[in-house]
Amino acid sequence: MIISIGPKEISTAVASLRNGQLIGLPTETVYGLAADATQDKAVASIFEAKGRPQFNPLIIHSQSVEGLSEYTEFDERAHLLAEKFWPGPLTLVLPKKSDSDLSLLVSAGLDTVAVRIPQHPVALKLLHAYGKPLAAPSANISGQVSPTTAQHVEDAFGNQLGCVLEGGSCQVGLESTIVDLTTDKAVLLRPGGIPNEDLKALLGDIHHYEGTEIRSPGMMKSHYAPGLPVRLNALKAESGEALLGFGNVKNTTLNLSISGNLVEAASNLFSMLRQLDHPQHSGIAISPIPHHGLGLAINDRLLRAAY
Ligand code: TXA
Ligand code: MG
């Protein structure tokens, strides 16, 4: 349902987010598919709704640098860029604070997190009212083009969403520029709404990421893989191994989802791998995960962890 913004509609959207539902959120770049970034299941349902075969890390959106500082470390460069370009179509990848309550799924297990303050008045109003950060990828089905009107979002997701907030046509119409500030040299990960020249004027040198794709967790050295060996499609644990179960499996150390729910499993994946990655075990055995729905992304991630 598309709704125009007013005090009542803001509380509808806020209630949806509190309940772990997704909403369509206008930003100046493209519409986002937004969820509470601290709720594991809500974040997992973003991936399910988009039909992404992989857990790409997501951007978190907030209305203030103070809000984002709870989650990330801002160095001098980050403050400089924030002052100049926020609110606006710039995303910064920054080191994640270890004590943050962000869902681990937001950054797909990485120790970095992408953050931005959007410029759209509806987005800012909602973020202000909600008071917590929102994880939001572009609100399109994976592989389709990004949405620039509320109707695009409604057409793609319809009644799967708590609501779609009306925000007119997106002014920028192109995703945000992404700059990685987790290394000494700033790296441009994705060109977008901010002209390169404007970035260079502030940062001096900026390196272009040289891969053919946007950096994804599987391509990044820093991505989280357990220190222990991981064994997939295990029916039971060998001696010393921890067993990470899925479904109705006996003698598990932890279970991703006893009821066999893939959204629940995705929401538990990174935190349970971390919990089991402990020298008291000799390895981590993992039950078979079905290859449909979010199971594709879970298996993709597990294959990388086992590699
Ligand atoms: O304009 C935008 O940025 C829109 C609006 C809704 O804010 N959002 C958007 O999100 O384009 P999405 O998920 O379609 O693209 C986010 C990109 C992904 O390609 C992902 O690889 C990258 O950001 N990204 C997110 N977190 C990252 C991280 N920690 N390290 C490197 N790349 C990251
Ligand atoms: Mg996208």
Side-chain angles (χ1 to χ4, degrees), residues 13-48:
V14 163
S16 298
L17 291 167
R18 282 222 179 91
N19 292 332
Q21 282 184 295
L22 305 182
I23 67 161
L25 180 71
T27 84
E28 76 282 17
T29 58
V30 299
Y31 276 71
L33 190 62
D36 183 327
T38 65
Q39 292 187 35
D40 286 327
K41 275 197 196 166
V43 175
S45 66
I46 291 179
F47 291 99
E48 190 193 37

Side-chain angles (χ1 to χ4, degrees), residues 133-146:
L134 299 179
S138 50
N140 51 285
I141 307 282
S142 185
Q144 299 182 358
V145 291
S146 293

